Structures are given as structure tokens and as C-alpha cells.
Amino acid sequence: MSFTLENILTIKELNTVQLAAGKLGITRAVKWVTILEVLDELSFLDEGDLLVTTGYGLAEDKTLQEQLIPFLAEKNLAGLAIQPGFSIKEIPEIIMQKAEEYNFPVLHLPKDLSFGKFTRHILRHLINHQFYMLEYSQKIYNQLTRIVLNNQGLESIAESLVNIINRPVLFLDLFHKTLAMAEPDEKQSAPWGKLQPLIQKASSRPGNQTAVINAGDHGQLVITPITTGSEVLGFLCVLNLKPPLEEMENIAIGHAATLAALLILKDMAVRETENRLKEDFLEETLKGNYLSPQVLAKKAAAFGYDHYKGYYLLLIHLQNWAKLTSVMEDKETYNLKSRILSGIESCMSKHGLRYMHKFSHDKLLVLVQAKNEQSLDKIKSIAQDVVECLMSIDYNFELNAGLSNFYDQLEKLSQAHQEAGRAVELGKSFQKRLTLFSEIEVYNLFYEVAKQQVSRKFYEDNLGLLEQYDKKNNSNLVATLIQFLESNCNLQETSSKLFIHRHTLKYRLQRIKEITKLDPLKGEDRLKLQVCLLLSKMIQKPVTME
């Protein structure tokens, strides 16, 4: 309940004060009373002020008459109280018209009512109201604080808040994952799913201010950031099907958001400790420092590892991490890491998967448990979700990710790590954001071979000549060769896919033979060309094979 213009009109000692215009705005909250004889310092007025004036100079200034009400309404003042009889005879008609247009209340003060008496009676009631609100605020804060002290979670805060404001409540984390919710009517749930796009759009706006959004038939959506200083931890959403929230209800929402921040921070601290222990475990496992599989299994079980399942290893290389963090303060870097890990947690929990991670410099290692090798498609989809989640963080990450093969023994974690790392490196050659080791196993055989001078010479003496010819003559013999090999040397299929005549295809194959001295129609020569194409992925700018 706010102290409004309507309350002022009910004060017995001010019964001679009349509402001159703007009746629809009398529910505006009054926070203070400001007296200005000369209307030349309007920029210093604050939201919720009730401006009191005799209107000195107003009669002669037609522009001020036109602009006064729109200006005060834009600054969200409570109202305007004018005392005619000294500086002006009557309240100007244009002010009355604008007051009706903007639903901005204008009070008529009688000439025999002193400003001192007027403000004294208002402030007495206003201060009493503020004391009442302070007492109410403390009561609500104590009620919600007891929930925290009794080790109850966000669900209990949500339920208590619903009991206070009688409206649906939803707590979300930074990535819009539901943390808790409560409804005033258990038989009728709020349509939070339909409102998700509105919530995401509103919560992505800069700043930490509460947003009030029109949700159409669902009423108003009030979104309050859950913050610790400048850092946003999540969002408290209230669906308002009734008239605007009262001051007392806004106070309760504010307290709930503050205590939610404490609970989220507490959970974050617990998770950070667990994560550090898991990181140490992964580090030691990668180094092979555990004495036996039994010791390793026992340690892993303490971190929730299910020994009936195996795992895939996802390695993410944040290539520009050093450049990004070099201009950040330690706290900003910490916050960025927290956002990254929160995003990964959100992706994993959505699919109900157990995982462990390790953040080391510009690389992020994620061990994802899976039932068996047949889970690859699901794990690949989740890995893509993780990559997309990281790319959605507004830091312009340059990243590549690699996914290992499936393993059911933790002792082979180092091997899985090598595979994921190799997938990252080869993925850069293929210009792919996410690369599965199972997709590049053949290329992996040539990874070390490609570094040798003899391999480079073999490539340059064969396929290199063909690529130079294409570049010089603006031809596409390499693309023709790739399609021919992918079509299992079937002339009809190759010509159809290239949209050329069979005679044109035969001519191109003959030119390939003449330039490289290798015949694509002969098995041994064809093998050499295929090896050259594999080497090209790692020797020079990649040749597109898709």
C-alpha cells in the first residue's frame, strides 16, 4: 500500500484542497513534497515528488504552460499543487487539458492555506506511512531470513512469497533454468513455458533494473534481477494478473530476490568446492597417479561417478581466452568462468547426465558419463548444445571442441584426452566447431606423417600440381576428383552430381592423369590420390570435401 494523492485528499485538515484535473492519476505514489515558487528548477525534481507552487511567471509563459504537465509526467512526479490568487488568477486551461490527457493529478490549493500547513500535514502522514512500511519491510525480511537460517531452499522462499503477494512466482538461474516456482492456486498453473521468450528477451537487456512487461492476456510480467552488486545470478519472475503491484508487495519481492542471491551464492560456493576436488581428481587421473583401478574407482565413486557406465571426453579450446582475459580484472575473469560453467551445468542437468569438468588456462575438459557406445548421437547433441551455449555468451569466443571415443575404464582417460585433443586440432583444419574423433580417425593416422618432409614432397609432386593448375586456369579438377572418389568411381553418378556430361567428366579425368601422372581409374594411382587428399587437410589450407 502506497501513500498517494488520494490519501492526501482524505486528510481532514486539508479538506479545502480540491482535485482540479487528472482524476485517473490520483493513485500515484507520493514520496516527498517540493515547493517551487518560480518554475525554473524543474530538472532537480525527483520521481514521486508532489510539486507545490503559486505559479509565478506561469501566466506569461505560454510555452511553459504547454510543456509543464508532459515534463512532470515523464519524470513520474506524483502530482502538481497550484495555489492561484497570488501569481496567477486561475489555473490555466491548457494545464487542465494536459492533466486530463496525461492522467496527471492537479490540486487546487485555496488562497488561505499556507504552504507550511499544507506540507506539514502531508509529511506527518507520509512519515507515519514510511514508518509503517519500514516495520512491514522488517517483518517480511525476518520471515524470509528465517527460511535461510533454517537451511530451507528457494522453494520455501517461493512459497512464502506467494503467500504474501498472492501471485505466481518463478526463480530462474542466469541461463533461464528453473530453480524454484510456486502458485497461489495449485489447480491452475501459470503458463511459464509460453512466457519464456518474453522472459529471455527482457532479462537480456543491459542494467539490473526490474522490468515490467505486458504479457497480453496473461497480464503483466515483473522480472527482478537477482544480483550481488553488479553481478546477475538469476531472475525472479512474478506474473501479475491483478492491478499494479502495491508498494508492500514490491518490498516483499525485493527481499525475496536479495535472500535468493544469498542461497544461490551458498550453492555456488558448495559447487565450487566440489568442482575443485573433481578437477584435482581429473588431473591426477590424467597423470596416472592412482596406484590401482580399485583406488581409482573408489575415488571416482565419491564424486558421483557411476561405475556401471562409461564416458566420453569433451575438450573445448578457447583460442582467444588469453586475449580476452588480459584486459579483465580478476573478478571479471572469475565471473566469466562462472558463466561458462553454469552454462555447461545447465546443458548437462537438462539431460540428467553426470559429469566432471576441469578448467585449465584456455582449455576446458568435460567428462560426460554415458550408458554405452551407442549413446554417441545423444552425447554429440549435448556437446553441440554446450558449444552453442558458450557461443551465446557475449564475448566473441573463438573455440573448437573435440569429442573422444567411448571408454568404460577411467585408466584410459589419458587416451581419451589425446583423442579429444587431436579432434580439436584436426577440427581447425576442417573449419568445424565440433569434431568427433570417430569422424577423423583415418585422418589421425596421417597427422604425424603429414609433418614429415617426404610426405609434403609426395603431396606437392602429385595433388599439389593439380591444385596449382586449378588456381592458374580457374578450373575445378580437384573438386571433380573428390566427387569421383566419393562416388566410388561411378562415372554416371559423378557426372550427375557435378551436373556435367559424361564426356566432360572423362575429359577432366584425362587432364588429371596428364597433370599428375596418376590415373584415377587405376587402383594404385587412385590410392595415391586419396592419400594426397588426406594429407592436404593437414599440410595446407583445407580442400573442401563437403
Side-chain angles (χ1 to χ4, degrees):
M1 178 174 64
S2 304
F3 185 76
T4 66
L5 264 294
E6 190 173 18
N7 297 129
I8 291 176
L9 294 173
T10 62
I11 297 175
K12 181 179 179 181
E13 293 83 356
L14 301 179
N15 59 4
T16 57
V17 176
Q18 297 179 347
L19 179 66
K23 182 179 180 180
L24 294 179
I26 61 173
T27 57
R28 286 174 175 263
V30 179
K31 296 180 180 178
W32 199 248
V33 180
T34 300
I35 299 173
L36 286 179
E37 286 287 355
V38 182
L39 299 173
D40 58 354
E41 300 290 346
L42 299 177
S43 61
F44 293 101
L45 294 170
D46 293 320
E47 178 181 334
D49 280 355
L50 172 61
L51 174 59
V52 183
T53 183
T54 60
Y56 182 81
L58 189 60
E60 299 81 18
D61 194 338
K62 301 299 182 183
T63 301
L64 181 58
Q65 291 181 25
E66 283 274 356
Q67 298 178 353
L68 182 59
I69 297 300
F71 178 81
L72 299 180
E74 184 179 356
K75 288 184 72 70
N76 203 22
L77 264 70
L80 172 65
I82 300 180
Q83 189 178 54
F86 295 99
S87 301
I88 56 175
K89 292 183 179 180
E90 297 292 340
I91 300 175
E93 185 61 30
I94 185 62
I95 286 183
M96 305 281 275
Q97 292 174 4
K98 291 292 182 181
E100 293 295 337
E101 179 182 344
Y102 284 84
N103 294 327
F104 190 84
V106 174
L107 302 182
H108 181 287
L109 305 185
K111 188 176 181 180
D112 60 351
L113 178 63
S114 70
F115 283 0
K117 180 180 179 181
F118 179 67
T119 57
R120 185 168 61 252
H121 286 299
I122 292 177
L123 292 177
R124 178 165 56 84
H125 284 76
L126 180 58
I127 291 171
N128 287 339
H129 172 77
Q130 289 174 342
F131 272 121
Y132 171 75
M133 295 307 297
L134 183 62
E135 184 179 321
Y136 172 82
S137 175
Q138 189 62 47
K139 177 182 176 182
I140 295 300
Y141 183 77
N142 291 341
Q143 178 182 336
L144 296 175
T145 301
R146 280 195 294 272
I147 293 174
V148 177
L149 295 176
N150 290 333
N151 287 322
Q152 295 173 276
L154 280 176
E155 288 287 352
S156 297
I157 287 185
E159 291 169 3
S160 294
L161 183 58
V162 165
N163 290 335
I164 296 168
I165 66 175
N166 196 34
R167 290 170 174 85
V169 166
L170 174 70
F171 285 93
L172 300 172
D173 69 7
L174 192 58
F175 293 90
H176 304 99
K177 172 192 169 187
T178 298
L179 299 176
M181 66 167 64
E183 307 278 350
D185 184 356
E186 295 180 357
K187 297 179 180 178
Q188 187 174 1
S189 299
W192 292 118
K194 295 180 180 179
L195 296 173
Q196 275 292 336
L198 277 177
I199 295 172
Q200 292 184 17
K201 183 177 180 180
S203 57
S204 63
R205 296 173 182 171
N208 296 338
Q209 301 299 316
T210 294
V212 181
I213 305 166
N214 185 353
D217 295 339
H218 304 300
Q220 284 184 329
L221 193 58
V222 181
I223 303 174
T224 301
I226 300 172
T227 65
T228 56
S230 60
E231 182 184 0
V232 177
L233 304 175
F235 305 94
L236 167 53
C237 306
V238 175
L239 187 57
N240 183 25
L241 300 170
K242 303 175 182 179
L245 290 164
E246 295 285 350
E247 185 178 359
M248 291 189 296
E249 293 168 330
N250 282 319
I251 288 173
I253 291 171
H255 286 327
T258 299
L259 292 172
L262 293 177
L263 286 176
I264 292 174
L265 283 174
K266 177 184 173 183
D267 289 342
M268 287 174 61
V270 172
R271 286 201 304 272
E272 283 179 12
T273 301
E274 292 177 349
N275 288 337
R276 280 196 298 270
L277 293 172
K278 289 177 181 178
E279 286 191 350
D280 292 343
F281 169 75
L282 288 176
E283 178 71 22
E284 294 300 311
T285 306
L286 282 171
K287 292 179 179 178
N289 287 350
Y290 287 98
L291 298 176
S292 67
Q294 291 76 19
V295 173
L296 188 61
K298 185 176 181 180
K299 191 76 173 179
F303 295 121
Y305 184 88
D306 186 349
H307 67 277
Y308 291 108
K309 296 181 179 179
Y311 60 90
Y312 287 89
L313 205 61
L314 175 65
L315 180 64
I316 301 169
H317 181 201
L318 302 168
Q319 298 176 46
N320 59 337
W321 179 259
K323 181 180 178 181
L324 288 173
T325 56
S326 64
V327 295
M328 293 181 182
E329 295 182 358
D330 290 343
K331 183 177 180 181
E332 189 177 359
T333 301
Y334 170 81
N335 289 341
L336 178 55
K337 281 187 175 181
S338 296
R339 290 189 65 185
I340 290 172
L341 298 179
S342 294
I344 293 174
E345 180 183 1
S346 180
C347 291
M348 296 300 170
S349 61
K350 184 168 62 177
H351 296 278
L353 292 178
R354 297 182 183 183
Y355 76 100
M356 286 186 274
H357 73 264
K358 175 177 171 54
F359 212 132
S360 178
H361 303 296
D362 58 353
K363 291 184 175 64
L364 180 59
L365 188 69
V366 186
L367 182 150
V368 187
Q369 286 222 250
K371 187 174 182 180
N372 49 46
E373 196 170 359
Q374 280 67 46
S375 306
L376 178 59
D377 289 341
K378 179 181 179 181
I379 301 300
K380 178 181 178 181
S381 175
I382 296 168
Q384 288 172 333
D385 285 348
V386 169
V387 169
E388 290 172 8
C389 178
L390 297 190
M391 294 301 296
S392 70
I393 299 176
D394 190 22
Y395 278 89
N396 298 317
F397 282 134
E398 297 171 10
L399 66 81
N400 289 90
L403 187 67
S404 74
N405 283 329
F406 176 82
Y407 287 93
D408 57 7
Q409 295 176 324
L410 280 171
E411 303 93 282
K412 294 186 177 181
L413 186 64
S414 178
Q415 185 173 335
H417 183 248
Q418 290 178 1
E419 290 180 356
R422 188 59 54 83
V424 168
E425 292 303 315
L426 291 177
K428 294 174 185 176
S429 298
F430 298 136
Q431 297 178 315
K432 294 179 67 175
R433 190 81 69 189
L434 172 66
T435 305
L436 276 62
F437 185 76
S438 59
E439 296 173 341
I440 50 92
E441 279 183 300
V442 175
Y443 291 96
N444 181 56
L445 297 174
F446 289 85
Y447 187 80
E448 296 297 335
V449 174
K451 296 179 182 179
Q452 300 175 16
Q453 185 60 36
V454 65
S455 300
R456 182 174 293 276
K457 187 175 186 306
F458 176 76
Y459 156 77
E460 290 175 348
D461 289 347
N462 293 285
L463 191 66
L465 296 174
L466 197 61
E467 290 173 342
Q468 292 173 19
Y469 181 88
D470 272 349
K471 185 176 181 180
K472 182 178 179 180
N473 297 278
N474 196 27
S475 57
N476 50 8
L477 295 182
V478 173
T480 300
L481 175 62
I482 292 173
Q483 188 59 66
F484 179 68
L485 296 175
E486 287 184 349
S487 300
N488 294 318
C489 305
N490 186 302
L491 294 175
Q492 182 62 46
E493 182 180 339
T494 304
S495 57
S496 296
K497 289 185 176 179
L498 292 175
F499 301 102
I500 60 175
H501 196 276
R502 287 185 61 179
H503 293 309
T504 303
L505 175 60
K506 288 181 178 180
Y507 169 76
R508 290 184 182 180
L509 294 175
Q510 180 61 31
R511 290 297 296 136
I512 291 171
K513 176 181 177 182
E514 293 170 356
I515 295 168
T516 64
K517 303 298 187 292
L518 296 171
D519 187 352
L521 297 175
K522 290 184 178 180
E524 186 175 345
D525 287 354
R526 186 162 60 247
L527 177 60
K528 291 179 181 179
L529 290 169
Q530 288 174 320
V531 170
C532 284
L533 286 170
L534 289 171
L535 289 173
S536 72
K537 289 289 185 179
M538 288 151 278
I539 288 177
Q540 60 148 31
K541 185 177 179 180
V543 177
T544 302
M545 298 189 68
E546 295 179 0

